Amino acid sequence: MANVSGQSAQVVSDQLTSVWNNFDDGSKSLEYYADVMTALGAATASSTDEIAEGLQKFSSISKTVGLSYEYAASALATVTATSRESADVVGTAFKTMFARIQGLKLGDTLEDGTTLNDYSAALAKVGVDIKDSNGELKQMDTILEDMAKVWTTLGNDEKMALAQKVAGVR
């Protein structure tokens, strides 16, 4: 991965350690994680290094909210490639968004007054249910997939309002 990304072995080691520590469930090899980042970097206008750097920002909370490695890496590559924002900015934005969701899951009221009921109601208005049939919060992969299905059907005002409710104003 260091050869492909042009980064030092120490930087790549730190990046892969972060990914390994937060996403490994014993079913994949370290090479798998490196291969996914390298393939996404080659297939998008992002890079292996950007993906790895961005993942370092939010990998620690990803597993907690039910975001798989594949979904996390793909989402990061898509947003950095599309927006051309830095991996630091995109990774921090994801971290903030997922921390908000984790806080809501734990019953917190967020700094902007948002509660889990507010959050759930905002998404329900556009047809996204964040709870499963048992009333438990769905995995983040599922919530994001459900949002993606309706996103293109929303007007710009709806997208902005929903994005602010989900991700906050920062």
PDB file of all heavy atoms in Angstrom, residues 47-66:
ATOM      1  N   SER A  47      -7.999   9.059  -3.673  1.00  0.00           N
ATOM      2  CA  SER A  47      -6.757   8.295  -3.683  1.00  0.00           C
ATOM      3  C   SER A  47      -6.724   7.361  -2.489  1.00  0.00           C
ATOM      4  O   SER A  47      -7.465   7.540  -1.519  1.00  0.00           O
ATOM      5  CB  SER A  47      -5.541   9.230  -3.636  1.00  0.00           C
ATOM      6  OG  SER A  47      -5.443   9.837  -2.353  1.00  0.00           O
ATOM      7  N   THR A  48      -5.857   6.378  -2.567  1.00  0.00           N
ATOM      8  CA  THR A  48      -5.693   5.431  -1.468  1.00  0.00           C
ATOM      9  C   THR A  48      -5.379   6.174  -0.178  1.00  0.00           C
ATOM     10  O   THR A  48      -5.955   5.896   0.876  1.00  0.00           O
ATOM     11  CB  THR A  48      -4.574   4.425  -1.793  1.00  0.00           C
ATOM     12  OG1 THR A  48      -4.873   3.785  -3.022  1.00  0.00           O
ATOM     13  CG2 THR A  48      -4.399   3.398  -0.692  1.00  0.00           C
ATOM     14  N   ASP A  49      -4.470   7.128  -0.266  1.00  0.00           N
ATOM     15  CA  ASP A  49      -4.069   7.887   0.920  1.00  0.00           C
ATOM     16  C   ASP A  49      -5.229   8.704   1.474  1.00  0.00           C
ATOM     17  O   ASP A  49      -5.431   8.757   2.694  1.00  0.00           O
ATOM     18  CB  ASP A  49      -2.888   8.802   0.600  1.00  0.00           C
ATOM     19  CG  ASP A  49      -2.433   9.568   1.829  1.00  0.00           C
ATOM     20  OD1 ASP A  49      -2.192   8.928   2.871  1.00  0.00           O
ATOM     21  OD2 ASP A  49      -2.347  10.802   1.755  1.00  0.00           O
ATOM     22  N   GLU A  50      -6.019   9.347   0.609  1.00  0.00           N
ATOM     23  CA  GLU A  50      -7.168  10.121   1.082  1.00  0.00           C
ATOM     24  C   GLU A  50      -8.169   9.222   1.812  1.00  0.00           C
ATOM     25  O   GLU A  50      -8.698   9.594   2.860  1.00  0.00           O
ATOM     26  CB  GLU A  50      -7.882  10.808  -0.088  1.00  0.00           C
ATOM     27  CG  GLU A  50      -7.167  12.005  -0.639  1.00  0.00           C
ATOM     28  CD  GLU A  50      -7.889  12.592  -1.840  1.00  0.00           C
ATOM     29  OE1 GLU A  50      -8.364  11.832  -2.703  1.00  0.00           O
ATOM     30  OE2 GLU A  50      -7.961  13.828  -1.897  1.00  0.00           O
ATOM     31  N   ILE A  51      -8.419   8.060   1.249  1.00  0.00           N
ATOM     32  CA  ILE A  51      -9.378   7.143   1.859  1.00  0.00           C
ATOM     33  C   ILE A  51      -8.865   6.691   3.225  1.00  0.00           C
ATOM     34  O   ILE A  51      -9.599   6.728   4.214  1.00  0.00           O
ATOM     35  CB  ILE A  51      -9.653   5.947   0.929  1.00  0.00           C
ATOM     36  CG1 ILE A  51     -10.312   6.429  -0.363  1.00  0.00           C
ATOM     37  CG2 ILE A  51     -10.525   4.902   1.627  1.00  0.00           C
ATOM     38  CD1 ILE A  51     -10.278   5.432  -1.496  1.00  0.00           C
ATOM     39  N   ALA A  52      -7.601   6.306   3.278  1.00  0.00           N
ATOM     40  CA  ALA A  52      -7.028   5.849   4.548  1.00  0.00           C
ATOM     41  C   ALA A  52      -7.007   6.972   5.579  1.00  0.00           C
ATOM     42  O   ALA A  52      -7.339   6.767   6.750  1.00  0.00           O
ATOM     43  CB  ALA A  52      -5.617   5.314   4.315  1.00  0.00           C
ATOM     44  N   GLU A  53      -6.632   8.173   5.162  1.00  0.00           N
ATOM     45  CA  GLU A  53      -6.584   9.323   6.075  1.00  0.00           C
ATOM     46  C   GLU A  53      -7.975   9.659   6.604  1.00  0.00           C
ATOM     47  O   GLU A  53      -8.160   9.903   7.801  1.00  0.00           O
ATOM     48  CB  GLU A  53      -5.990  10.543   5.362  1.00  0.00           C
ATOM     49  CG  GLU A  53      -5.901  11.769   6.227  1.00  0.00           C
ATOM     50  CD  GLU A  53      -5.417  13.001   5.470  1.00  0.00           C
ATOM     51  OE1 GLU A  53      -4.841  12.862   4.371  1.00  0.00           O
ATOM     52  OE2 GLU A  53      -5.636  14.101   5.986  1.00  0.00           O
ATOM     53  N   GLY A  54      -8.953   9.667   5.727  1.00  0.00           N
ATOM     54  CA  GLY A  54     -10.315   9.973   6.146  1.00  0.00           C
ATOM     55  C   GLY A  54     -10.886   8.917   7.085  1.00  0.00           C
ATOM     56  O   GLY A  54     -11.549   9.241   8.070  1.00  0.00           O
ATOM     57  N   LEU A  55     -10.594   7.646   6.787  1.00  0.00           N
ATOM     58  CA  LEU A  55     -11.081   6.564   7.645  1.00  0.00           C
ATOM     59  C   LEU A  55     -10.517   6.684   9.060  1.00  0.00           C
ATOM     60  O   LEU A  55     -11.199   6.351  10.023  1.00  0.00           O
ATOM     61  CB  LEU A  55     -10.725   5.198   7.052  1.00  0.00           C
ATOM     62  CG  LEU A  55     -11.566   4.730   5.886  1.00  0.00           C
ATOM     63  CD1 LEU A  55     -10.987   3.455   5.280  1.00  0.00           C
ATOM     64  CD2 LEU A  55     -13.010   4.512   6.299  1.00  0.00           C
ATOM     65  N   GLN A  56      -9.287   7.158   9.172  1.00  0.00           N
ATOM     66  CA  GLN A  56      -8.695   7.344  10.494  1.00  0.00           C
ATOM     67  C   GLN A  56      -9.523   8.304  11.342  1.00  0.00           C
ATOM     68  O   GLN A  56      -9.565   8.171  12.553  1.00  0.00           O
ATOM     69  CB  GLN A  56      -7.275   7.906  10.386  1.00  0.00           C
ATOM     70  CG  GLN A  56      -6.216   6.863  10.161  1.00  0.00           C
ATOM     71  CD  GLN A  56      -4.842   7.472  10.226  1.00  0.00           C
ATOM     72  OE1 GLN A  56      -4.472   8.267   9.369  1.00  0.00           O
ATOM     73  NE2 GLN A  56      -4.093   7.096  11.228  1.00  0.00           N
ATOM     74  N   LYS A  57     -10.191   9.246  10.706  1.00  0.00           N
ATOM     75  CA  LYS A  57     -10.967  10.251  11.441  1.00  0.00           C
ATOM     76  C   LYS A  57     -12.217   9.670  12.083  1.00  0.00           C
ATOM     77  O   LYS A  57     -12.629  10.117  13.138  1.00  0.00           O
ATOM     78  CB  LYS A  57     -11.368  11.411  10.519  1.00  0.00           C
ATOM     79  CG  LYS A  57     -10.218  12.220  10.009  1.00  0.00           C
ATOM     80  CD  LYS A  57      -9.607  12.989  11.137  1.00  0.00           C
ATOM     81  CE  LYS A  57      -8.496  13.870  10.633  1.00  0.00           C
ATOM     82  NZ  LYS A  57      -7.788  14.510  11.721  1.00  0.00           N
ATOM     83  N   PHE A  58     -12.865   8.708  11.415  1.00  0.00           N
ATOM     84  CA  PHE A  58     -14.144   8.248  11.951  1.00  0.00           C
ATOM     85  C   PHE A  58     -14.246   6.737  12.157  1.00  0.00           C
ATOM     86  O   PHE A  58     -15.289   6.241  12.563  1.00  0.00           O
ATOM     87  CB  PHE A  58     -15.314   8.749  11.099  1.00  0.00           C
ATOM     88  CG  PHE A  58     -15.413   8.161   9.716  1.00  0.00           C
ATOM     89  CD1 PHE A  58     -16.222   7.069   9.475  1.00  0.00           C
ATOM     90  CD2 PHE A  58     -14.719   8.723   8.658  1.00  0.00           C
ATOM     91  CE1 PHE A  58     -16.335   6.529   8.201  1.00  0.00           C
ATOM     92  CE2 PHE A  58     -14.830   8.203   7.384  1.00  0.00           C
ATOM     93  CZ  PHE A  58     -15.646   7.097   7.151  1.00  0.00           C
ATOM     94  N   SER A  59     -13.174   6.013  11.954  1.00  0.00           N
ATOM     95  CA  SER A  59     -13.260   4.556  12.103  1.00  0.00           C
ATOM     96  C   SER A  59     -13.605   4.131  13.523  1.00  0.00           C
ATOM     97  O   SER A  59     -14.297   3.128  13.717  1.00  0.00           O
ATOM     98  CB  SER A  59     -11.960   3.885  11.651  1.00  0.00           C
ATOM     99  OG  SER A  59     -10.878   4.277  12.469  1.00  0.00           O
ATOM    100  N   SER A  60     -13.191   4.899  14.512  1.00  0.00           N
ATOM    101  CA  SER A  60     -13.436   4.489  15.895  1.00  0.00           C
ATOM    102  C   SER A  60     -14.922   4.481  16.254  1.00  0.00           C
ATOM    103  O   SER A  60     -15.341   3.744  17.136  1.00  0.00           O
ATOM    104  CB  SER A  60     -12.679   5.394  16.862  1.00  0.00           C
ATOM    105  OG  SER A  60     -13.120   6.730  16.745  1.00  0.00           O
ATOM    106  N   ILE A  61     -15.719   5.285  15.576  1.00  0.00           N
ATOM    107  CA  ILE A  61     -17.156   5.317  15.882  1.00  0.00           C
ATOM    108  C   ILE A  61     -17.981   4.515  14.880  1.00  0.00           C
ATOM    109  O   ILE A  61     -19.115   4.160  15.157  1.00  0.00           O
ATOM    110  CB  ILE A  61     -17.667   6.770  15.981  1.00  0.00           C
ATOM    111  CG1 ILE A  61     -19.010   6.801  16.691  1.00  0.00           C
ATOM    112  CG2 ILE A  61     -17.736   7.431  14.617  1.00  0.00           C
ATOM    113  CD1 ILE A  61     -19.441   8.157  17.144  1.00  0.00           C
ATOM    114  N   SER A  62     -17.396   4.176  13.754  1.00  0.00           N
ATOM    115  CA  SER A  62     -18.133   3.490  12.696  1.00  0.00           C
ATOM    116  C   SER A  62     -18.740   2.174  13.140  1.00  0.00           C
ATOM    117  O   SER A  62     -19.920   1.909  12.901  1.00  0.00           O
ATOM    118  CB  SER A  62     -17.229   3.248  11.490  1.00  0.00           C
ATOM    119  OG  SER A  62     -16.839   4.474  10.939  1.00  0.00           O
ATOM    120  N   LYS A  63     -17.942   1.342  13.758  1.00  0.00           N
ATOM    121  CA  LYS A  63     -18.429   0.031  14.178  1.00  0.00           C
ATOM    122  C   LYS A  63     -19.552   0.175  15.204  1.00  0.00           C
ATOM    123  O   LYS A  63     -20.519  -0.572  15.193  1.00  0.00           O
ATOM    124  CB  LYS A  63     -17.277  -0.783  14.750  1.00  0.00           C
ATOM    125  CG  LYS A  63     -17.577  -2.240  14.921  1.00  0.00           C
ATOM    126  CD  LYS A  63     -16.313  -2.996  15.290  1.00  0.00           C
ATOM    127  CE  LYS A  63     -16.534  -4.475  15.266  1.00  0.00           C
ATOM    128  NZ  LYS A  63     -15.307  -5.197  15.585  1.00  0.00           N
ATOM    129  N   THR A  64     -19.425   1.165  16.075  1.00  0.00           N
ATOM    130  CA  THR A  64     -20.418   1.399  17.117  1.00  0.00           C
ATOM    131  C   THR A  64     -21.790   1.700  16.535  1.00  0.00           C
ATOM    132  O   THR A  64     -22.800   1.284  17.089  1.00  0.00           O
ATOM    133  CB  THR A  64     -19.980   2.575  18.025  1.00  0.00           C
ATOM    134  OG1 THR A  64     -18.663   2.313  18.486  1.00  0.00           O
ATOM    135  CG2 THR A  64     -20.892   2.751  19.196  1.00  0.00           C
ATOM    136  N   VAL A  65     -21.833   2.429  15.424  1.00  0.00           N
ATOM    137  CA  VAL A  65     -23.117   2.790  14.822  1.00  0.00           C
ATOM    138  C   VAL A  65     -23.550   1.813  13.728  1.00  0.00           C
ATOM    139  O   VAL A  65     -24.583   2.012  13.099  1.00  0.00           O
ATOM    140  CB  VAL A  65     -23.118   4.245  14.273  1.00  0.00           C
ATOM    141  CG1 VAL A  65     -22.913   5.241  15.393  1.00  0.00           C
ATOM    142  CG2 VAL A  65     -22.117   4.433  13.155  1.00  0.00           C
ATOM    143  N   GLY A  66     -22.749   0.775  13.521  1.00  0.00           N
ATOM    144  CA  GLY A  66     -23.141  -0.243  12.551  1.00  0.00           C
ATOM    145  C   GLY A  66     -22.773   0.081  11.121  1.00  0.00           C
ATOM    146  O   GLY A  66     -23.499  -0.253  10.190  1.00  0.00           O
TER     147      GLY A  66
END
